[in-house]
């Protein structure tokens, strides 16, 4: 619940309620530096509950009887007071003891010491006061901040106007999707990688094979040295006849030399 809402509704909010608080009568201040709990630990006068209630810009530290709720003393704390004010002073020698400036409502005031048995209770007491002051300061700054004026420029689309948004990389994604679809339905053949024919997958010919057709297959052992050729190969018969004639001429020449 924000402090600004307290100002609007003018209601009291309990910030913290501590069931056990000890009150002491304190002697006059011995040093300008501050109070020491060691100086008045033997002057205990009352035990009850401590309640911190915030309303508007003022929170009130109320010491009440735990059984009847009767108010023993009250210490008003203004959220706009200086940090070095003497309304609530921590003791120099202990974090569990404080000195309060209490008032009776008629303008008279006095200083009393309070202490908590547990350090957690003392911590909650300090945090409640600090949060209240910070909340009031924050809400006052928010109320004083200038309001942002709305612009009078008309940003609505006129008749026929369109907004075009170009998303980076979207066109490439769409092209990949179209290409994949066309390949799936056979619309566009995929580009063949290096070494692969466009008409289909083809293996490299074995060593010694002819580039124009199917390579000759070696004859079986003991078979004739006739050339195996493909029926689809044209021009293979003239080449074979020429090779046979050349071999015959060479044999005749050797027979002439030997006198056979």
């Amino acid at each position: 619940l924000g402090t600004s809402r307290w100002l609007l509704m003018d209601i009291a909010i309990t910030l913290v309620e501590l069931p056990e608080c000890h009150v002491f009568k304190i002697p006059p201040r011995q040093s300008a530096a501050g109070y020491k709990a060691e100086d008045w630990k033997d002057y205990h006068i009352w035990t009850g509950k401590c309640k911190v209630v915030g309303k508007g810009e003022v929170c009130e530290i109320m010491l009440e009887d735990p059984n009847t709720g009767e108010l023993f003393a009250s210490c008003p704390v203004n959220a706009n007071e200086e940090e070095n004010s003497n309304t609530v002073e921590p003791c120099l020698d202990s974090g569990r003891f404080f000195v309060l400036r209490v008032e009776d409502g008629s303008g008279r005031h006095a200083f009393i010491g309070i202490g908590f048995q547990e350090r957690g209770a003392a911590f909650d007491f300090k945090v409640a006061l600090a949060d209240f002051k910070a909340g009031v300061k924050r809400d006052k700054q928010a109320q004083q901040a200038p309001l942002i004026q709305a612009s009078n420029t008309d940003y609505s689309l006129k008749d026929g106007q369109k907004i075009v948004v170009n998303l980076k990389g979207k066109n490439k994604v769409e092209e990949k999707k179209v290409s994949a679809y066309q390949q799936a339905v056979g619309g566009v053949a995929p580009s063949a990688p290096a070494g692969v024919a466009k008409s289909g997958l083809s293996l490299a010919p074995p060593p010694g094979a002819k580039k124009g057709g199917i390579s000759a297959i070696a004859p079986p052992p003991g078979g004739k040295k006739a050339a195996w050729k493909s029926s689809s190969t044209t021009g293979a018969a003239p080449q074979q006849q020429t090779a046979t004639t050349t071999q015959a001429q060479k044999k005749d020449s050797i027979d002439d030399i030997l006198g056979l």
Side-chain angles (χ1 to χ4, degrees):
L1 186 64
T3 306
S4 59
R5 192 172 299 182
W6 299 347
L7 297 176
L8 294 175
M9 296 189 297
D10 194 26
I11 59 176
I13 303 296
T14 300
L15 305 178
V16 67
E17 184 172 345
L18 306 169
E20 184 178 0
C21 178
H22 302 278
V23 178
F24 301 85
K25 181 180 179 181
I26 63 175
R29 184 196 297 264
Q30 301 295 326
S31 172
Y35 293 93
K36 291 184 178 181
E38 182 68 22
D39 297 336
W40 34 269
K41 65 179 182 179
D42 296 331
Y43 297 94
H44 181 271
I45 58 175
W46 186 85
T47 299
K49 67 178 180 180
C50 174
K51 186 165 61 174
V52 181
V53 179
K55 183 179 180 180
E57 297 184 7
V58 177
C59 73
E60 189 173 3
I61 303 172
M62 306 172 67
L63 304 177
E64 299 178 347
D65 186 280
N67 299 320
T68 63
E70 182 182 358
L71 182 64
F72 174 78
S74 174
C75 173
V77 180
N78 195 305
N80 301 317
E81 66 183 17
E82 300 294 334
E83 293 294 333
N84 58 355
S85 65
N86 60 356
T87 304
V88 180
E89 293 186 59
C91 290
L92 301 175
D93 57 346
S94 176
R96 297 183 292 111
F97 292 84
F98 305 86
V99 174
L100 305 184
R101 183 180 185 272
V102 297
E103 299 179 358
D104 62 356
S106 62
R108 296 184 301 174
H109 68 273
F111 292 94
I112 61 174
I114 65 170
F116 301 96
Q117 191 70 25
E118 303 293 336
R119 294 187 180 277
F123 177 79
D124 293 341
F125 175 76
K126 291 187 293 185
V127 168
L129 296 177
D131 287 350
F132 172 77
K133 292 182 179 181
V136 171
K137 182 179 180 180
R138 181 175 58 252
D139 290 339
K140 289 185 67 175
Q141 291 176 349
Q143 291 176 355
Q144 296 173 359
L147 298 178
I148 300 177
Q149 299 294 333
S151 176
N152 295 327
T153 305
D154 184 12
Y155 294 101
S156 60
L157 294 177
K158 305 299 186 293
D159 293 339
Q161 287 185 334
K162 296 181 179 180
I163 297 178
V164 180
V165 179
N166 294 324
L167 299 179
K168 185 178 180 181
K170 183 178 180 181
N171 294 334
K172 295 182 178 180
V173 174
E174 294 297 334
E175 291 177 358
K176 291 182 179 179
K177 291 182 178 179
V178 172
S179 177
Y181 174 77
Q182 291 177 345
Q183 292 177 16
V185 300
V188 177
S191 58
V196 180
K198 292 185 178 181
S199 59
L201 181 64
S202 111
L203 299 176
K210 297 179 180 181
K211 296 183 179 179
I214 300 178
S215 61
I217 302 176
K224 296 181 180 181
K225 296 183 178 180
W228 293 63
K229 58 181 181 299
S230 172
S231 60
S232 61
T233 305
T234 59
Q239 292 178 2
Q240 181 180 0
Q241 184 178 2
T242 303
T244 305
T245 304
T246 303
Q247 291 177 0
Q249 291 175 356
K250 287 182 179 180
K251 184 177 180 181
D252 294 340
S253 299
I254 294 173
D255 292 340
D256 294 337
I257 295 173
L258 296 178
L260 300 177

